[in-house]
Amino acid sequence: MTEPTGPKRWGRREVLRLAGAGVGAGLVGSAGLTGCGFGSPSNNGGEDSAAKKVSGGFDWKKHKGTTLRLLMNKHPYTDALKAHRGEFQDKTGIKLAIDEFPESNYFDKVTLELKSRQGNYDAFMLGAYMVWQYGPPGYLEDLGPWMHNSSATHAEFEPDDFFPNLIKAGQWNFVNGAPLGGKQQWMLPWGFETNTVCYRSDVFAKLGLKPAESFDDLTELARTLKAKAPGAGFDGMYGIAVRGSREWATIHPGFMTMYSREGLKDFKVEGKKLVPTMDSPEAVDFTSRWAKMVRDAGPSGWTSYTWYQASSDLGAGKAAMLFDADTASYFQNVDTPAAGKLAWHPGPKGKDGSLATNMWIWSLAMNSSSKKKPAAWWFLQWATSKEHLLWAGTKQQHIDAVRRSVADNSAYKDRLKAVPGFLDTFQTVIDQTKIQFTPQRNFFDATTSWAAALQEIYGGADAKATLDKLAKDLEPRVNG
């Protein structure tokens, strides 16, 4: 539900190969785009936006009779939308035609659609990092002018209700290294995942163990579990599952979360230049310890592990801990051998008690080539509304809430209170959960290479030499 199931499959967060031949260990297809983008994005403050033409009082029925085409990934969020779309259609008179594709080829479809500029689809799902690739070519409609036009946006939309770091994740000026934020809004948060630790509470209880509060404690805990769990009746169980495949998605969940908590950065900005910092002495030390933790207490075959293998091992009773997306573990708590035996914890604190946490966001965006932009905006504001998201969060599997009003709702809380530690963990890390990477157009290329370097270190290569080479190789690529 969160990543491709193998090195040649793309999934929920697999990159579109948008940076062309430079991205992803030979994963190049006809859908690839140039790494630095092309075309002329709408970067003029929205002065030419179609939103400027919308006037008068807001009316949900204003576009009655319109049919919108949506390009969606197969996902619980899409399931919730389909289950609730009758409400939208009755409210607006707008019909939704949903084309849904499996994770293995969803982003192929998106990339080809956007690149064609035909406007066959009006809105679609994407992730925050993809704004860094789709935005510069001008494929995304700036939603800012729509949001701030009271004739186009209903009074209860309340963008300030979104968690600040989630709404900000869709804002960027397309300048490498520039922080997220600003007036331009390229996507709206729909659902997201924070990265925390899920563990087998029964195993911990039997062995008298507690979740780790520091990274050193985590590595020791993982080794202890691998050594003692099999002898305590949990045959074949190892200590900790994390991702290891040679793709960008290996870096962003547990690894980047712990890396950030230790006070480390991927790049520093010097003038207009990005300088890789994953080869600093502190970063080298952390990466060495992470690789050793996996060697000592992780699964065999780790270099092929995506989100799917890692979370499946937790559910199957093979892994005692998973450091990954909280929803990846959440869905292992039903109809698996581990169901009813899982608990959640924020994971180790870093320097000065930091719980800096990286996240993934599933968002909704408007195709800048859509010929039905006003109706598409009516859909986007409804799909990300308090009304729909509360319904989806209490009646469907739309877990983690992107809006404060949903997260604070008693019915939503009551649902999650039944899952040991999940709600407490969410509430503990949410304010420090954000995109921890430096925004830059060659993100997928850089992080895929970073994952390859991590594999080499895991395999015994010298960490300093490997990361020095990585940094040297990346500098011209990210600044090209």
Side-chain angles (χ1 to χ4, degrees):
M1 305 194 48
T2 53
E3 295 298 344
T5 55
K8 293 186 180 294
R9 289 189 63 193
W10 309 4
R12 176 161 168 217
R13 279 178 270 179
E14 175 57 325
V15 64
L16 327 162
R17 275 92 90 171
L18 286 175
V23 176
L27 298 178
V28 182
S30 61
L33 307 177
T34 61
C36 290
F38 54 88
S40 301
S42 300
N43 226 353
N44 60 357
E47 290 304 316
D48 60 353
S49 173
K52 300 290 185 181
K53 300 177 182 179
V54 181
S55 60
F58 179 82
D59 180 3
W60 276 114
K61 294 286 189 180
K62 190 168 187 175
H63 305 291
K64 181 179 179 180
T66 303
T67 297
L68 293 174
R69 291 190 67 198
L70 309 180
L71 184 56
M72 310 297 281
N73 182 34
K74 289 183 71 68
H75 190 277
Y77 301 164
T78 304
D79 293 341
L81 172 64
K82 291 188 297 182
H84 207 207
R85 71 171 149 182
E87 176 71 19
F88 171 75
Q89 292 178 160
D90 290 344
K91 189 183 188 81
T92 64
I94 299 171
K95 293 183 179 180
L96 299 179
I98 300 174
D99 285 351
E100 186 179 12
F101 294 92
E103 59 186 35
S104 58
N105 66 344
Y106 172 70
F107 281 115
D108 272 330
K109 300 288 185 180
V110 174
T111 302
L112 291 171
E113 163 61 21
L114 296 179
K115 192 175 182 180
S116 77
R117 299 187 186 271
Q118 294 300 304
N120 297 311
Y121 291 95
D122 303 292
F124 60 98
M125 292 171 65
L126 80 167
Y129 308 137
M130 290 146 192
V131 167
W132 306 349
Q133 299 292 339
Y134 286 148
Y139 295 154
L140 305 178
E141 175 78 3
D142 181 4
L143 303 178
W146 297 91
M147 291 169 61
H148 301 299
N149 181 349
S150 60
S151 295
T153 303
H154 68 99
E156 296 181 0
F157 180 66
E158 296 181 23
D160 289 345
D161 185 47
F162 290 107
F163 285 107
N165 287 335
L166 274 70
I167 192 76
K168 185 184 289 186
Q171 302 165 355
W172 194 44
N173 64 3
F174 305 149
V175 176
N176 270 359
L180 298 175
K183 294 182 179 180
Q184 293 165 305
Q185 189 74 47
W186 303 109
M187 64 180 194
L188 291 177
W190 201 30
F192 83 109
E193 300 159 6
T194 185
N195 291 292
T196 57
V197 171
C198 182
Y199 64 98
R200 282 285 297 270
S201 57
D202 57 331
V203 178
F204 275 54
K206 189 166 185 178
L207 295 176
L209 301 173
K210 294 182 179 180
E213 297 295 337
S214 72
F215 183 51
D216 285 341
D217 289 344
L218 179 68
T219 58
E220 183 59 33
L221 176 62
R223 285 192 288 266
T224 298
L225 284 161
K226 185 171 184 178
K228 295 185 176 181
F234 303 99
D235 294 341
M237 181 174 282
Y238 63 87
I240 188 166
V242 295
R243 305 184 204 191
S245 59
R246 185 172 173 153
E247 52 198 350
W248 72 272
T250 284
I251 299 298
H252 94 91
F255 180 89
M256 191 62 183
T257 293
M258 199 67 241
Y259 184 89
S260 300
R261 291 179 182 183
E262 294 290 286
L264 303 171
K265 301 294 183 183
D266 52 352
F267 296 91
K268 61 182 177 180
V269 181
E270 293 185 351
K272 296 183 179 180
K273 185 178 180 181
L274 288 178
V275 179
T277 56
M278 61 281 292
D279 64 336
S280 71
E282 296 82 5
V284 170
D285 178 64
F286 169 80
T287 308
S288 297
R289 290 187 291 148
W290 182 272
K292 186 175 189 307
M293 176 185 73
V294 181
R295 279 198 305 270
D296 292 348
S300 58
W302 173 75
T303 55
S304 67
Y305 265 56
T306 66
W307 73 271
Y308 181 80
Q309 284 77 23
S311 61
S312 294
D313 276 8
L314 178 74
K318 296 179 182 179
M321 294 187 290
L322 173 68
F323 196 170
D324 204 281
D326 57 352
T327 56
S329 50
Y330 179 89
F331 292 113
Q332 294 297 328
N333 207 30
V334 178
D335 297 330
T336 68
K341 304 169 186 175
L342 299 178
W344 281 259
H345 182 264
K349 295 181 176 68
K351 290 184 176 181
D352 302 319
S354 171
L355 283 173
T357 304
N358 197 44
M359 65 178 172
W360 166 263
I361 310 173
W362 265 123
S363 297
L364 294 174
M366 189 191 303
N367 186 349
S368 65
S369 297
S370 169
K371 301 172 183 65
K372 303 172 183 176
K373 291 181 181 180
W377 173 244
W378 260 235
F379 163 72
L380 290 177
Q381 60 182 307
W382 177 84
T384 60
S385 67
K386 292 181 283 185
E387 174 191 12
H388 172 67
L389 293 179
L390 178 59
W391 183 89
T394 54
K395 305 296 184 183
Q396 297 283 318
Q397 298 292 347
H398 206 123
I399 312 296
D400 295 337
V402 298
R403 284 183 172 271
R404 290 189 185 277
S405 61
V406 177
D408 292 340
N409 183 272
S410 58
Y412 179 81
K413 287 182 176 180
D414 287 345
R415 180 182 190 180
L416 293 181
K417 282 178 182 176
V419 185
F422 191 93
L423 184 60
D424 288 344
T425 293
F426 177 88
Q427 293 173 336
T428 298
V429 302
I430 182 59
D431 289 340
Q432 295 184 63
T433 297
K434 66 177 185 177
I435 293 177
Q436 303 290 343
F437 292 99
T438 302
Q440 50 106 357
R441 301 181 186 187
N442 284 324
F443 168 81
F444 297 110
D445 178 22
T447 45
T448 298
S449 296
W450 199 353
L454 181 59
Q455 283 191 351
E456 292 175 17
I457 295 166
Y458 168 83
D462 179 77
K464 185 178 186 310
T466 302
L467 293 172
D468 281 346
K469 182 177 185 302
L470 173 67
K472 183 179 180 180
D473 290 348
L474 285 183
E475 188 161 331
R477 284 153 55 187
V478 298
N479 291 297

